[in-house]
Amino acid sequence: MKLALVRPNLGDYRSSDAMAPLALGILAARSQGHEVRLYDDKVEPLPERIDADLVAMTVETFTARRAYALADRWRAQGVPMVMGGYHATLLPDEVARHADALVLGDAESAWDTVLRDAAAGRLQARYLGDNTRPLDDYRTDRDIFRGKPYAPVELVQYGRGCRFACDFCSIHAFYGTRLRVRPTAGLCEEIESLPRQRLLFFVDDNLFGTREQLRTLLATLKPLKRRWSCQISIDVARDPRLLDELAEAGCRYVLIGFESVEPANLKQMRKPWNKVAGAYTDVVRALHARDIGIYGTFVFGYDHDTPDTLRRAVDFALEARLDIANFNPLTPTPGSGLYDRLLQEGRMLSPRWWLDPNYRYGDPIFQPARMTPAQLAEGCFEAKRAFYAWRSIGRRVLAPTRSWTPFHLFSSTVANVISRREVYRKQGRLLGA
């Protein structure tokens, strides 16, 4: 059977910061005996007609409109379509209108059954993945990524799930409260097979699951002498020794969700623990002192935000010399407490914004409490413009107070240039068009 694995983009255009879709590599590894091909809308044009006996597509909320257009086109040509991912799991009835079958939850546990049923011509309407299944049999086929212009970063995964349930996040709705990690022996073997010159990136939603799990991972990574990056919760900075172990194990960048400089907003988003590690400036200083760069993320639109809040966040990011940063308007996504609350309060400007033909990336989606929707959208874009201005990049990357290694100098410069390009490329784009 010819199997096409498809990742749609926001629209019909290519991205310069795309990383390989690890989830589709996991499915490819479980598709032995079939002819597998990856079609990635982020890095290559997709065909009008697709040569496949089955198409499997992963759907995210931002890519849903594009995914539906592709699915409808290929189904009209007689090709069966199976869809999965976060959006399909959280809004199955909507996605089912564009698919012959859905996989809800983690797909790999149901994938053998899906392929067997597809080959026999008897696809079921829905398959339920097991989000509690141990990760002992974790496999990835990276051959499907060859020849595609991805960023020179190798993606790996240690665990799934997050111990927090932030108001704006749908991870908890997908995985629940259970945290699962891989046996370190298999992870170590996988890492050893990857090119040594490449930076590794752990795709875990929060690498700091439990202290025991994190310390087990760091002890495994240290003798491998690899450079890696991750997403991690800010409370890791409560323990100076744990920060030392991160650095000693090869951590070179962390993505941290600072989210807001307003304590009342952190409480509303159910993230007051963001302050347990002390002042943000102290956290940045502690990480930079260990040669760990920081990608800081911020969201705006909670009820205590004003235009001044945005300015204070940008000032902090610039003064702290964050290596990379993102300033996003709060985006209510299905499955999050935020979405349900704003819907009940009647504040959604477009409840199904991801299907709205007039919605453009960066547009306001709801009515903020202390500013206009336009002020929120314009303020976020202006924050990005200020942070990624050429003068700002020069001051942050070439700061005389930083003792840069050649690796950090090169990687941070490239990351800022690419981030600046993507800020302007995405802003104002129609989804799906």
Side-chain angles (χ1 to χ4, degrees):
M1 185 170 64
K2 292 182 178 179
L3 172 63
L5 303 176
V6 178
R7 176 170 69 169
N9 199 2
L10 300 179
D12 187 9
Y13 70 97
R14 316 287 80 82
S15 301
S16 59
D17 61 348
M19 297 185 185
L22 188 62
L24 297 183
I26 291 171
L27 293 188
R30 296 181 177 275
S31 304
Q32 301 301 314
H34 300 281
E35 183 181 332
V36 182
R37 180 172 177 182
L38 170 65
Y39 294 85
D40 192 340
D41 202 22
K42 288 192 173 186
V43 298
E44 61 192 356
L46 300 187
E48 284 293 320
R49 302 190 65 86
I50 196 162
D51 182 19
D53 301 307
L54 177 68
V55 173
M57 188 182 300
T58 182
V59 187
E60 300 170 2
T61 303
F62 270 101
T63 64
R65 196 158 185 263
R66 171 69 169 162
Y68 298 159
L70 294 169
D72 293 348
R73 176 203 304 172
W74 292 330
R75 289 180 79 204
Q77 298 168 11
V79 183
M81 174 71 57
V82 57
M83 293 177 130
Y86 272 73
H87 197 75
T89 300
L90 298 174
L91 289 180
D93 292 340
E94 175 189 295
V95 180
R97 293 194 286 270
H98 306 274
D100 299 282
L102 302 181
V103 180
L104 310 182
D106 281 346
E108 64 258 47
S109 58
W111 197 238
D112 289 344
T113 305
V114 172
L115 294 180
R116 185 169 58 249
D117 288 354
R122 49 179 173 78
L123 275 173
Q124 301 173 41
R126 297 188 183 185
Y127 297 85
L128 185 61
D130 185 356
N131 281 9
T132 66
R133 179 177 173 173
L135 301 177
D136 298 346
D137 185 27
Y138 186 102
R139 290 173 271 157
T140 306
D141 181 0
R142 298 175 188 269
D143 288 342
I144 63 170
F145 305 145
R146 289 182 180 172
K148 299 187 187 297
Y150 294 121
V153 177
E154 294 290 347
L155 307 187
V156 291
Q157 186 174 53
Y158 178 45
R160 295 177 186 170
C162 181
R163 57 194 161 96
F164 298 112
C166 300
D167 177 59
F168 56 81
C169 184
S170 57
I171 292 169
H172 199 264
F174 189 87
Y175 281 120
T177 59
R178 184 180 175 88
L179 301 177
R180 294 174 291 158
V181 296
R182 296 170 58 183
T184 55
L187 176 63
C188 182
E189 182 179 348
E190 180 183 12
I191 290 174
E192 290 278 43
S193 71
L194 300 176
R196 290 201 62 82
Q197 69 273 21
R198 293 284 185 92
L199 178 71
L200 306 178
F201 175 64
F202 282 90
V203 300
D204 304 43
D205 296 301
N206 181 5
L207 200 65
F208 190 5
T210 69
R211 190 173 299 271
E212 179 183 0
Q213 289 171 350
L214 179 56
R215 283 211 153 103
T216 298
L217 173 65
L218 298 179
T220 300
L221 293 174
K222 185 175 179 179
L224 300 183
K225 300 186 183 303
R226 297 295 299 262
R227 292 186 293 235
W228 53 273
S229 57
C230 67
Q231 302 175 99
I232 201 163
S233 51
I234 198 171
D235 58 332
V236 71
R238 295 178 70 178
D239 185 344
R241 179 56 197 151
L242 199 53
L243 291 183
D244 290 340
E245 292 175 25
L246 275 175
E248 292 163 2
C251 182
R252 294 296 175 264
Y253 287 97
V254 291
L255 187 156
I256 288 180
F258 293 101
E259 316 307 4
S260 180
V261 296
E262 176 55 62
N265 283 338
L266 294 174
K267 183 177 180 180
Q268 188 181 22
M269 66 179 71
R270 297 207 298 262
K271 208 170 180 179
W273 49 265
N274 245 27
K275 289 295 186 179
V276 300
Y280 284 169
T281 51
D282 294 336
V283 172
V284 172
R285 191 177 299 115
L287 288 163
H288 280 173
R290 293 165 172 84
D291 290 326
I292 298 176
I294 303 168
Y295 182 168
T297 62
F298 301 84
V299 292
F300 302 105
Y302 270 97
D303 289 353
H304 297 273
D305 275 334
T306 66
D308 181 64
T309 315
L310 277 76
R311 286 190 287 270
R312 287 192 288 123
V314 176
D315 288 345
F316 158 71
L318 293 172
E319 291 169 8
R321 292 189 169 95
L322 296 186
D323 303 75
I324 316 170
N326 211 339
F327 307 89
N328 288 319
L330 195 57
T331 305
T333 54
S336 67
L338 171 70
Y339 184 89
D340 295 338
R341 177 168 58 81
L342 292 177
L343 197 61
Q344 291 171 2
E345 294 173 357
R347 293 168 60 186
M348 295 288 288
L349 302 177
S350 179
R352 299 270 169 165
W353 54 268
W354 56 91
L355 299 181
D356 187 341
N358 297 315
Y359 172 78
R360 295 176 180 272
Y361 188 88
D363 280 357
I365 297 171
F366 67 97
Q367 174 63 58
R370 301 191 182 188
M371 59 182 127
T372 67
Q375 283 178 314
L376 174 61
E378 292 165 6
C380 289
F381 185 51
E382 182 54 39
K384 296 176 185 178
R385 286 167 52 111
F387 188 82
Y388 287 110
W390 290 119
R391 179 175 295 182
S392 167
I393 293 174
R395 286 175 176 172
R396 289 182 293 102
V397 174
L398 302 176
T401 56
R402 296 285 298 275
S403 178
W404 285 98
T405 65
F407 168 78
H408 268 118
L409 180 61
F410 175 77
S411 57
S412 286
T413 300
V414 170
N416 274 272
V417 171
I418 292 176
S419 295
R420 174 189 164 91
R421 182 188 307 157
E422 287 300 309
V423 162
Y424 288 97
R425 178 174 290 181
K426 289 180 180 178
Q427 187 70 19
R429 278 191 177 268
L430 290 168
L431 296 187

